[in-house]
Amino acid sequence: MDTFTLPARLPWTGPGPRPRILIGFCCQGGEAMGYWQAGFDITGIDINPQPRFPFTFVQGDAIAYAREHSHTYAAVAGGPPCQGYSLTHRIHSNDHPRLIAQFREVVAGLGKPYVIENVEEARAELHNPVLLCGAMAGFGLHTYRHRLFETNWPLTAPDHPGHGDHLVKMGRPLEPGDWYHAVGNFSGVPYVRADMGVPWMNRDGIRECIPPAYARHIGTQLLNHLAATRTAAA
């Protein structure tokens, strides 16, 4: 893996050390990077080795780890594997775990903020989720990549202008400014890495990652929520 420099993150002006967030099912770290940019310190947990994950990493069961260690974090986030909810995988009758309810049972009992992410097909499993899309104001992406986010605190989304840009067909070369759908054996990995802001990832990581811009948007609001909660408790 090529080395890269971590991007700048927002300065921390609050009392004490930076808040820590636990990222369950962290994969190669797209979500984690966004929370880092927002200002959190990061620990990721995943059942599989993740040598490309750019922050503190623990290999293990995300739900079990969250149950045992989440009390040491300011907040918990995570996207349980989406394959069990994906229409494509259901069509092919693949057997994948559906872990949203189990993850929620643990994180909802912590008495602290949480974020649960998944694909649109999982909407029925999520409680009042907020949709984020790459075309939304401020994200600056050239992919739509809809993702849903359930929180137990007030989360808002940017303005959604719709989908007026045509996606380049899978397998076609990508040119600057092209809109793309990075799934399967997609082409233009360097272009997609740069557009999503994930220069450390390979194709496998990019296929299902949460764009850091989404988590940066969420993380900024989450830090404000944590600050407001501290003020109210003072």
Side-chain angles (χ1 to χ4, degrees):
M1 180 181 68
D2 295 335
T3 59
F4 77 102
T5 301
L6 285 172
R9 57 178 173 171
L10 295 177
W12 175 241
T13 59
R18 286 180 181 272
R20 300 168 67 224
I21 189 168
L22 176 66
I23 311 294
F25 317 96
C26 66
C27 298
Q28 292 185 14
E31 181 179 22
M33 183 59 73
Y35 287 114
W36 161 271
Q37 292 171 325
F40 284 91
D41 280 344
I42 308 296
T43 298
I45 170 78
D46 200 284
I47 197 69
N48 299 312
Q50 298 293 346
R52 292 176 179 266
F53 188 77
F55 308 106
T56 301
F57 174 74
V58 178
Q59 185 176 353
D61 182 277
I63 294 176
Y65 189 90
R67 182 181 293 113
E68 296 172 11
H69 300 282
S70 291
H71 64 280
T72 67
Y73 295 88
V76 181
C82 65
Q83 290 88 349
Y85 307 99
S86 166
L87 177 61
T88 300
H89 286 82
R90 292 204 303 270
I91 289 173
H92 290 89
S93 300
N94 291 329
D95 184 20
H96 294 282
R98 297 163 68 94
L99 300 177
I100 290 175
Q102 293 182 45
F103 189 55
R104 179 190 297 110
E105 182 180 5
V106 171
V107 299
L110 298 173
K112 58 184 62 181
Y114 71 76
V115 183
I116 302 176
E117 173 273 338
N118 225 278
V119 294
E120 285 190 287
E121 291 91 343
R123 181 178 290 276
E125 304 284 335
L126 296 167
H127 296 169
N128 301 315
V130 171
L131 172 71
L132 295 184
C133 167
M136 286 180 169
F139 289 154
L141 302 180
H142 290 83
T143 186
Y144 296 124
R145 186 155 290 200
H146 283 185
R147 291 294 184 270
L148 299 176
F149 296 86
E150 171 189 329
T151 66
N152 61 341
W153 51 276
L155 173 65
T156 62
D159 179 58
H160 191 183
H163 297 176
D165 293 279
H166 175 71
L167 297 175
V168 173
K169 289 185 177 180
M170 291 291 297
R172 300 278 180 87
L174 295 174
E175 301 293 337
D178 282 346
W179 284 68
Y180 58 88
H181 191 40
V183 299
N185 192 31
F186 65 91
S187 60
V189 171
Y191 176 86
V192 175
R193 277 188 186 131
D195 187 71
M196 278 199 194
V198 291
W200 70 96
M201 285 192 185
N202 60 16
R203 183 185 277 112
D204 291 341
I206 294 171
R207 284 190 193 105
E208 297 175 356
C209 81
I210 299 170
Y214 293 5
R216 183 171 64 247
H217 171 81
I218 296 168
T220 300
Q221 293 186 53
L222 178 52
L223 282 175
N224 290 336
H225 172 75
L226 289 169
T229 300
R230 285 194 303 268
T231 299

